[in-house]
Amino acid sequence: MNSIYDSRILNLVIFSPLLVAGLLAFLPRNEKGQIRALTLGGMVLNLLTCLWAYSRFSPTSPVEFQLEYRLAWVDDLGLSYHVGVDGISMGLVLLTGVLGPLVVLSSWTFVDERVKEFHLALLVLQTAMLGAVCAVDTLLFFVFFEAMLVPMYLLIGVWGSEERQMAAMKFFLYTMVGSVLMLVALLAVYFLAAPAGMRSFDYSTLYNGLMSANRELAQYLKANPAGDGAGLSAAALALLRYGPYLFLAFALAFAIKVPMFPVHTWLPDAHVQAPVAGSIVLAGVMLKMGTYGFWRFAIPLFPVASRQFQLLLAALAVVGIVYGAFMCLAQRDIKKLIAYSSVSHLGYCMLGMLAFTAEGATGSAYQMLNHGVSTSALFLLFGFLYERRHARLMSDYGGIAKVMPVFSAFFLIVTFSSVAVPGTNGFVGEFLVLLGSYKSNLPLWLSVAATTAVVLGAAYMLWMVQKVFFGQVTHQENLGLKDLGPREVVAALPFVLLIAVMGLKPQPLLDVIDHSTQRFVARAKYAAGEGPVDDSKVRVVVRPLPKDAVAQVAPTLPPAVPAHPTPIPLPMRPVRLQPAQPQLQPATP
């Protein structure tokens, strides 16, 4: 049963951290304890709102976007504040909410300079990340997508290590280049998807406007692979000529964010130089903006072009998997090893997505959540060790398990998750990805290479654990290391619980993302000419704007579209008709 508050939940989810940031601005700079406590309370409140949203989300609902809220923003441009969640975005919202309090706890004593500014940056970043995964309007997504750059730039550049400014600038420039290209492509799609007077940045308008043209183009290319577009409609012809370039613009922006090989070089520097909180947020949520962008925008809007570049992108994903694993074997810096492991693990997310199979898509979505848990936990635990020892090289450690047994037990459990030991969350995601890639139309060698990298992942992680935790204590400084305290145990324990629950009982989360993966695969096949002919089954249906916000024409939905508690037609605005020109009469002699 829907609550009257359901349409307001996501507003609380997105903006509650920003509200706390506003309160935090009034605290004196020297009240560090109050600043930390208020930020922690704000993050806990945000987690409660995320849990509330999760409790109101129905995995069995036929409605694609739930908890929708929509309000006219710039009516003349067809821009609205439109938020909602499906299965994949609901999972990312929950992950972001869980990480919020843990990020604050991880930096409780680590950051002691500019404490107020640091926590303000965390709260603003939390709002930007939640807004991006909840946005249903594409330009609204772009606004939140870009809003993440500034606080993360500050986290790296102000509170990072010795080469922080170089790493922050590299991160900023890489992502800005991709974002500018994506904005140009987004404007092109805006003009292409709908005629004048009906244009909108809403995701439903863009997708539905291009749907028939994509289907027409796919069928044309099947019959005429080298055709010049003769006989195509204007929209399909435009997609034939410019669709690959528009897709590549979106793909480059999201590939940088993932990051995919070869545009990954900013990530190791950013992770190494960032404070522990920055590394957790970056690995846990921000990198998922790249995979989420492919899932939500790049592939659905340009399914024909994504099929054309499927082999190339899948090959780059596998190269990233193998390359990241070999780079981990070459590392002596623990934090850089964990950073390169992200390149390898996120390659599995991309491979499963590009397989265009149900198993691959499900594994990709689940692996996004797995990576957010496992890699964030690795950065958290190493942050605790770095705070004590201020050293990142493996050679600076050895025999740590003898002096820090609780810490070592936590780290070993997270390591098992990272190498996908059965019974942990990593195993479920990687198994589904590899199964989906084997069943896809991709060449077999890609799946074999990705499977081989699983062994490499176990090799570099277990090698690092052996070097750091076992053997004799070779450095006198390590003998005086203290084990985890109560605050640190509270911060690390949720990760271990999530690893166990997601590994031993994955079905509840798999049910949440199931409808999203089904729609993703159906739309990819439909636009490639392989799916059902009934386009009502793949159309994006959203809640219309309120009647008092904008007048609109409500077309009747086909019977195949599942019923919604209220009619949800495709948002349209009436076309303004020009008065007819008077006919010229012959002059009277």
Side-chain angles (χ1 to χ4, degrees):
M1 180 177 177
N2 290 333
S3 166
I4 60 173
Y5 302 106
D6 282 356
S7 63
R8 305 294 192 273
I9 294 177
L10 292 184
N11 293 333
L12 293 174
V13 167
I14 297 169
F15 293 109
S16 60
L18 199 60
L19 176 62
V20 176
L23 298 175
L24 189 64
F26 292 99
L27 288 180
R29 294 175 183 271
N30 58 346
E31 295 292 345
K32 298 179 181 179
Q34 294 183 23
I35 290 171
R36 295 186 179 106
L38 179 59
T39 306
L40 178 61
M43 289 297 193
V44 171
L45 175 63
N46 183 242
L47 172 58
L48 294 177
T49 61
C50 293
L51 292 172
W52 184 20
Y54 183 78
S55 69
R56 301 301 302 172
F57 184 87
S58 174
T60 59
S61 172
V63 180
E64 179 171 5
F65 292 103
Q66 300 182 43
L67 310 179
E68 275 188 85
Y69 180 83
R70 194 172 183 196
L71 185 67
W73 187 3
V74 183
D75 188 30
D76 291 339
L77 298 179
L79 180 59
S80 63
Y81 171 79
H82 188 186
V83 293
V85 288
D86 64 350
I88 181 67
S89 52
M90 186 68 255
L92 292 174
V93 164
L94 190 60
L95 174 64
T96 307
V98 169
L99 291 181
L102 305 181
V103 167
V104 179
L105 288 174
S106 70
S107 302
W108 198 268
T109 57
F110 188 82
V111 174
D112 200 47
E113 297 292 334
R114 297 189 178 96
V115 175
K116 181 177 180 179
E117 291 83 353
F118 176 82
H119 289 88
L120 283 172
L122 287 180
L123 291 166
V124 172
L125 182 58
Q126 186 83 349
T127 286
M129 293 186 300
L130 289 167
V133 296
C134 292
V136 183
D137 185 280
T138 53
L139 195 59
L140 182 65
F141 166 82
F142 182 81
V143 170
F144 283 120
F145 187 80
E146 292 304 293
M148 291 184 286
L149 297 185
V150 175
M152 179 52 71
Y153 173 84
L154 294 176
L155 288 177
I156 299 173
V158 177
W159 294 277
S161 300
E162 57 276 358
E163 297 181 8
R164 56 187 178 273
Q165 294 181 358
M166 176 274 297
M169 185 58 66
K170 194 173 182 180
F171 158 76
F172 191 84
L173 292 177
Y174 262 74
T175 50
M176 275 301 297
V177 168
S179 297
V180 169
L181 293 176
M182 182 175 70
L183 179 59
V184 173
L186 177 59
L187 293 174
V189 174
Y190 168 78
F191 287 104
L192 179 62
M198 299 172 60
R199 292 187 178 122
S200 171
F201 282 101
D202 198 82
Y203 179 66
S204 62
T205 301
L206 299 185
Y207 175 82
N208 294 336
L210 296 177
M211 185 175 61
S212 59
N214 276 310
R215 176 78 170 188
E216 178 187 356
L217 178 59
Q219 293 175 335
Y220 175 85
L221 291 177
K222 272 189 172 182
N224 307 280
D228 59 357
L232 288 175
S233 64
L237 183 60
L239 286 176
L240 175 64
R241 293 177 178 174
Y242 306 112
Y245 302 105
L246 298 177
F247 170 75
L248 287 176
F250 276 88
L252 179 61
F254 297 134
I256 291 172
K257 208 77 168 185
V258 171
M260 291 182 67
F261 179 90
V263 290
H264 68 284
T265 55
W266 65 269
L267 180 67
D269 292 330
H271 268 313
V272 169
Q273 301 302 323
V276 58
S279 293
I280 293 173
V281 173
L282 190 60
V285 183
M286 283 195 67
L287 300 186
K288 310 307 176 300
M289 298 302 159
T291 52
Y292 177 77
F294 272 103
W295 182 288
R296 174 71 73 229
F297 301 105
I299 292 176
L301 293 178
F302 307 101
V304 178
S306 65
R307 287 283 184 164
Q308 293 171 346
F309 291 99
Q310 178 190 16
L311 180 59
L312 172 63
L313 291 175
L316 290 177
V318 173
V319 169
I321 293 171
V322 179
Y323 166 82
F326 277 115
M327 287 299 294
C328 287
L329 288 171
Q331 298 306 312
R332 298 300 179 266
D333 185 313
I334 300 174
K335 204 171 185 184
K336 189 170 285 189
L337 183 149
I338 301 172
Y340 274 110
S341 74
S342 285
V343 177
S344 183
H345 289 154
L346 287 169
Y348 286 104
C349 294
M350 292 304 304
L351 178 63
M353 192 186 310
L354 293 165
F356 298 127
T357 59
E359 295 85 356
T362 302
S364 173
Y366 203 69
Q367 192 65 9
M368 293 185 207
L369 305 178
N370 291 337
H371 178 268
V373 172
S374 303
T375 308
S376 296
L378 288 174
F379 279 118
L380 172 81
L381 292 171
F382 180 72
F384 291 154
L385 185 59
Y386 182 80
E387 189 175 358
R388 290 162 167 77
R389 189 70 169 78
H390 294 284
R392 296 196 301 261
L393 298 179
M394 296 182 202
S395 57
D396 293 320
Y397 298 99
I400 297 298
K402 296 180 180 179
V403 294
M404 301 179 67
V406 176
F407 172 82
S408 302
F410 275 115
F411 202 98
L412 194 60
I413 293 172
V414 177
T415 299
F416 288 157
S417 169
S418 182
V419 301
V421 171
T424 65
N425 57 336
F427 174 77
V428 179
E430 288 190 12
F431 177 79
L432 288 173
V433 166
L434 294 174
L435 178 63
S437 66
Y438 275 108
K439 296 177 66 175
S440 72
N441 63 334
L442 292 172
L444 182 61
W445 66 267
L446 288 176
S447 303
V448 173
T451 305
T452 304
V454 174
V455 180
L456 296 176
Y460 65 72
M461 287 300 297
L462 295 178
W463 170 66
M464 183 264 289
V465 167
Q466 190 273 330
K467 286 282 186 181
V468 174
F469 292 93
F470 298 103
Q472 296 299 319
V473 180
T474 56
H475 294 274
Q476 190 69 24
E477 299 90 335
N478 295 333
L479 291 174
L481 294 178
K482 295 182 179 180
D483 212 343
L484 297 184
R487 170 184 61 86
E488 295 165 322
V489 171
V490 169
L493 189 59
F495 287 109
V496 175
L497 295 177
L498 286 172
I499 287 170
V501 171
M502 294 174 67
L504 297 175
K505 195 173 183 180
Q507 199 57 48
L509 272 177
L510 292 177
D511 289 339
V512 168
I513 63 179
D514 180 59
H515 281 281
S516 295
T517 57
Q518 288 182 15
R519 291 187 181 97
F520 176 81
V521 175
R523 286 166 181 165
K525 291 183 176 181
Y526 171 85
E530 304 171 2
V533 178
D534 187 2
D535 64 354
S536 65
K537 296 181 179 179
V538 294
R539 183 178 295 274
V540 175
V541 182
V542 298
R543 185 187 301 274
L545 281 168
K547 292 182 179 179
D548 57 349
V550 60
Q552 47 185 327
V553 178
T556 304
L557 292 175
V561 178
H564 191 277
T566 58
I568 44 177
L570 180 68
M572 299 175 63
R573 287 196 302 279
V575 179
R576 298 178 180 176
L577 300 177
Q578 300 295 331
Q581 297 293 331
Q583 296 182 353
L584 297 178
Q585 299 295 330
T588 303

